[in-house]
Amino acid sequence: MSCNSNYIRQDRIKKDRRWKLDTEFGTFDITINLSKPEKDPKAIAAARNMKPTGIVYPKCLLCKENEGYAGRLNSPARQNHRIIPVTINDSPWMFQYSPYVYYNEHCIVFNSEHTPMAINKQTFRKLLDFVIQFPHYFVGSNADLPIVGGSILTHDHFQGGNYTFAMAVAPIEKEITFNGFSDVEAGIVKWPLSVIRLSSEDPDRLVELGGVILDKWINYSDEDAYIFAYTDGERHNTITPIARKNGDKYELDLVLRNNITTPDRPLGVYHPRPEYHHNKKENIGLIEVMGLAVLPARLKKELAEVADAIVLGNDLRSTETLASHADWAEQVVKNHPEINKDNVLDILEYETGKVFEGCLCDAGVYKCTPEGREAFLKFIDNVNE
Ligand SMILES: [Zn+2]
């Protein structure tokens, strides 16, 4: 219905660029999404603290009052938008499909009240309650802090759908056990971000253990690994959780996140490094955490411009757009002496995917190195203390 009413603009979605990238972690999905506006991480953080002025209906883009809304200057019309009530953990929530369609049956599940994002034990219960009702859908939540969260922090919501992401099929690289939870299978996932996977036939046990791990993580500091729970009273640790059903078992993936900044890395230490910002500057949110890059619409045109400049041998710094990609483009040419007019776009898309892989590695609080993995296990020991 959302497609037929043109709420989902299939004509535009069809023009999105989609390709795959094989990596040591699995096969990533790389997309250039033409529907979604690119957002600045600083603007997202600022919006969280903004008090609404003047017209406050609907309070945000997710509120249920958007259904059928006529629109105003700074809020789009939603005449053809429809939502479905669902009950999650005995509380009234709402369900809709995403107009951006990052992947098959991309849906948004949101609180019927305009209430801020929060990650707590109840979040895990709500996610699993959704999966119990819709076992063919995964569902996850963005983290509740700026830099490591999604683009809307003011309204509690999840994203789900009928799609298998690379992370969901990534193997366990190390099995672990948690005291008092010998009945729950647990492990560290082979993935660039730091993921603990819990698995059990009993979803209640996942909620309990998830709650224990979250409480420990929120207060956990490890100076050697540059993890600080708080600085100047500001909290930095949180989790991006994802729930799904796999055979007879429920799974809860807990992705450890930290949003600390330094003068060198003002957008975040565990955030794509500045060299990647020509390609991706936005927060690494839930969908990207799972291995699907949502790259900004501008890249489609910009990559074509870079491709032309390479093939024609033009100055890679002759325009502002080209200059923003120049360092990267020069490296690409060096890596691919075979580059020509027939393969240039494929090569640029491949290398764009490699940048995304680098972004995910940057977002991992524990790196995929012997030292990083040792520090990861130190946290697991802390949970068990
Ligand atoms: Zn709202």
Side-chain angles (χ1 to χ4, degrees):
M1 193 198 76
S2 295
C3 292
N4 288 346
S5 70
N6 213 29
Y7 176 70
I8 293 174
R9 295 276 307 272
Q10 281 183 301
D11 53 333
R12 202 155 47 179
I13 308 291
K14 274 194 202 119
K15 292 185 190 136
D16 288 349
R17 277 293 303 143
R18 293 167 182 276
W19 67 97
K20 304 263 185 191
L21 179 82
D22 289 324
T23 75
E24 59 169 309
F25 304 105
T27 303
F28 293 171
D29 295 290
I30 315 290
T31 70
I32 295 179
N33 193 291
L34 301 182
S35 311
K36 184 188 177 270
E38 187 175 14
K39 288 189 179 175
D40 190 290
K42 289 227 153 101
I44 292 166
R48 186 173 72 141
N49 303 320
M50 215 154 65
K51 293 275 168 288
T53 55
I55 305 165
V56 289
Y57 168 89
K59 289 197 182 83
C60 79
L61 289 171
L62 280 178
C63 278
K64 62 179 185 287
E65 289 80 9
N66 280 288
E67 187 175 53
Y69 184 53
R72 61 173 190 266
L73 207 54
N74 59 354
S75 191
R78 294 282 189 240
Q79 290 101 327
N80 51 2
H81 173 40
R82 295 294 179 269
I83 54 185
I84 302 168
V86 286
T87 302
I88 305 289
N89 192 27
D90 297 326
S91 57
W93 278 59
M94 299 288 173
F95 177 105
Q96 67 166 86
Y97 282 101
S98 162
Y100 304 137
V101 201
Y102 292 165
Y103 49 84
N104 187 42
E105 294 173 50
H106 179 187
C107 65
I108 301 171
V109 189
F110 59 101
N111 199 306
S112 67
E113 300 300 323
H114 180 76
T115 182
M117 293 289 290
I119 298 295
N120 49 44
K121 191 173 155 187
Q122 288 309 309
T123 310
F124 306 150
R125 187 168 294 286
K126 287 173 194 157
L127 292 173
L128 284 155
D129 194 37
F130 181 84
V131 173
I132 290 167
Q133 297 180 65
F134 300 88
H136 57 306
Y137 273 17
F138 83 91
V139 68
S141 174
N142 259 305
D144 51 353
L145 296 178
I147 294 173
V148 295
S151 57
I152 298 179
L153 293 166
T154 50
H155 196 133
D156 204 9
H157 67 286
F158 307 147
Q159 295 183 77
N162 190 355
Y163 192 73
T164 303
F165 289 86
M167 192 179 98
V169 291
I172 298 294
E173 69 171 41
K174 186 164 179 59
E175 285 179 19
I176 49 182
T177 51
F178 289 101
N179 288 346
F181 291 91
S182 56
D183 56 321
V184 177
E185 281 174 39
I188 291 174
V189 180
K190 181 173 165 54
W191 196 246
L193 285 100
S194 307
V195 189
I196 299 170
R197 176 165 299 155
L198 309 178
S199 171
S200 169
E201 284 179 21
D202 181 357
D204 290 346
R205 296 293 287 160
L206 300 184
V207 173
E208 285 306 313
L209 178 52
V212 170
I213 294 170
L214 175 67
D215 285 348
K216 287 283 190 174
W217 177 244
I218 283 178
N219 294 301
Y220 185 74
S221 291
D222 178 352
E223 207 172 313
D224 296 335
Y226 210 81
I227 289 160
F228 297 91
Y230 292 86
T231 55
D232 299 326
E234 190 198 337
R235 176 164 73 90
H236 297 300
N237 285 347
T238 184
I239 279 178
T240 301
I242 298 116
R244 71 181 77 83
K245 190 149 194 223
N246 186 356
D248 293 336
K249 288 188 171 157
Y250 292 93
E251 287 180 355
L252 184 63
D253 283 355
L254 304 173
V255 189
L256 308 180
R257 312 297 301 270
N258 179 289
N259 79 345
I260 198 163
T261 61
T262 61
D264 277 358
R265 297 289 286 273
L267 292 183
V269 172
Y270 303 106
H271 183 81
R273 65 189 66 190
E275 297 94 288
Y276 295 155
H277 290 180
H278 66 98
N279 183 319
K280 176 80 189 173
K281 188 182 184 180
E282 294 178 299
N283 300 345
I284 299 298
L286 168 69
I287 307 302
E288 304 202 293
V289 161
M290 296 187 289
L292 189 155
V294 184
L295 300 172
R298 63 173 169 84
L299 264 189
K300 194 174 178 181
K301 207 170 125 257
E302 292 178 12
L303 289 182
E305 211 176 315
V306 172
D308 281 348
I310 289 174
V311 171
L312 298 170
N314 290 346
D315 179 4
L316 281 167
R317 288 179 172 75
S318 59
T319 69
E320 206 176 310
T321 302
L322 283 176
S324 72
H325 296 287
D327 289 346
W328 170 73
E330 281 163 3
Q331 193 56 49
V332 170
V333 172
K334 240 181 249 167
N335 293 352
H336 299 272
E338 79 282 14
I339 204 162
N340 63 42
K341 72 173 175 25
D342 297 323
N343 63 19
V344 62
L345 261 181
D346 288 342
I347 289 173
L348 287 178
E349 289 189 345
Y350 168 80
E351 290 288 345
T352 298
K354 295 304 281 182
V355 170
F356 174 68
E357 185 182 3
C359 289
L360 289 195
C361 291
D362 283 354
V365 290
Y366 296 118
K367 304 307 177 195
C368 299
T369 59
E371 306 78 49
R373 274 11 214 175
E374 197 181 316
F376 201 156
L377 290 175
K378 210 168 125 189
F379 169 64
I380 305 297
D381 289 342
N382 179 273
V383 175
N384 278 328
E385 263 170 27

